[in-house]
Amino acid sequence: AIFAGGPAPPESGAAIAYGTAGFRNKAEILDAVMYRVGVLAALRSASTSKIIGVVVTASHNPEPDNGVKIVDPDGGMLAASWEGLATWLRECEKRSGDRQAPSGDLEDGVPPKGEHKVVVGKDTRASSEKLCALVKQGVAVCGAACEDLGLATTPQVHWAVMQLNKGLPHTKDDYYANFAQAFIDFVGKDKAAAMAPLTVDCANGVGSTSLKGLAQALSKAGAEVKYTAINFGEGAGGL
């Protein structure tokens, strides 16, 4: 059974439904959620024959929180038709029982056969490393391949999934180079150099690491953008 090796849901607590922001709650009660999201992402990948993404993040929620979002093959959010299955997987105690899965894709509790792959990324919260490992455990139990982008913003994971499904370069360095060039094409090197210094609020989160990479890519492309970074710590402690 796909849930046999994973953590069980808490015996009590508020219901967590999958919505626009994915699953979010206190990090300490999300172990089972993360494992089962890994299962769902592998299932979605096999069902679509495409690469799916998972982001472990609670965005601007407080530090004790965490969450997870699933990225569809086009780089968009998980299809609304699958949100009910996400909630069902989170709540069910075991694969079989008195509850009927809201999707016929979960036949006999295992994803359909075929190649499937999931790309994962995480933010800098203290809980994200452990929770991301549980996502990967859920992916692995379904026999899917997994690529870990490491620390990554939500847009970076969305972009990587879209690029991979188009057969295009998808690394974080590719992301920085792509958007640095887009900025130069739109603004121009001379106007970029003449811009007043920017103040970038990194919110003590994963944006801190991404700003460094983007600044380096802009400089490499010949655009020296002046900026000051505030809240440059990592871990979401200042959110």
Side-chain angles (χ1 to χ4, degrees):
I2 56 176
F3 298 153
E11 294 184 3
S12 61
I16 310 173
Y18 194 96
T20 302
F23 288 119
R24 287 190 192 180
N25 214 299
K26 298 300 182 186
E28 62 194 32
I29 66 169
L30 290 178
D31 286 9
V33 169
M34 295 296 175
Y35 177 82
R36 293 175 183 207
V37 163
V39 170
L40 181 64
L43 173 63
R44 180 68 172 157
S45 177
S47 177
T48 60
S49 298
K50 300 287 186 179
I51 297 166
I52 298 296
V54 174
V55 193
V56 177
T57 182
S59 297
H60 285 78
N61 278 37
E63 164 70 10
D65 292 357
N66 217 318
V68 64
K69 303 175 184 179
I70 300 175
V71 182
D72 249 7
D74 63 355
M77 297 185 299
L78 176 68
S81 60
W82 276 64
E83 291 181 1
L85 179 56
T87 300
W88 177 82
L89 280 173
R90 189 210 72 80
E91 294 176 347
C92 65
E93 293 295 328
K94 54 186 178 179
R95 180 190 62 80
S96 59
D98 58 0
R99 298 196 62 189
Q100 180 65 39
S103 169
D105 292 319
L106 194 64
E107 182 178 357
D108 294 328
V110 295
K113 294 185 183 297
E115 293 185 5
H116 34 299
K117 179 178 179 179
V118 177
V119 174
V120 300
K122 61 181 179 294
D123 70 13
T124 54
R125 294 169 192 272
S127 59
S128 292
E129 185 73 31
K130 172 192 174 185
L131 296 179
C132 190
L134 286 166
V135 171
K136 292 190 284 186
Q137 186 180 344
V139 171
V141 79
C142 296
C146 187
E147 179 177 343
D148 190 347
L149 297 177
L151 294 178
T153 65
T154 298
Q156 285 174 333
V157 179
H158 282 261
W159 187 83
V161 171
M162 178 188 70
Q163 292 288 100
L164 278 166
N165 282 301
K166 291 180 177 180
L168 298 174
H170 70 285
T171 69
K172 284 185 283 187
D173 284 343
D174 295 321
Y175 176 91
Y176 299 136
N178 178 275
F179 283 95
Q181 189 59 54
F183 176 80
I184 291 171
D185 291 343
F186 182 70
V187 176
K189 293 181 181 180
D190 293 339
K191 287 185 177 180
M195 288 174 57
L198 302 174
T199 298
V200 183
D201 187 347
C202 297
N204 295 308
V206 70
S208 300
T209 61
S210 299
L211 180 60
K212 298 172 187 175
L214 182 58
Q216 290 170 358
L218 283 166
S219 179
K220 186 176 180 179
E224 297 293 340
V225 178
K226 298 178 287 294
Y227 69 92
T228 299
I230 61 174
N231 296 324
F232 204 71
E234 298 176 3
L239 294 181

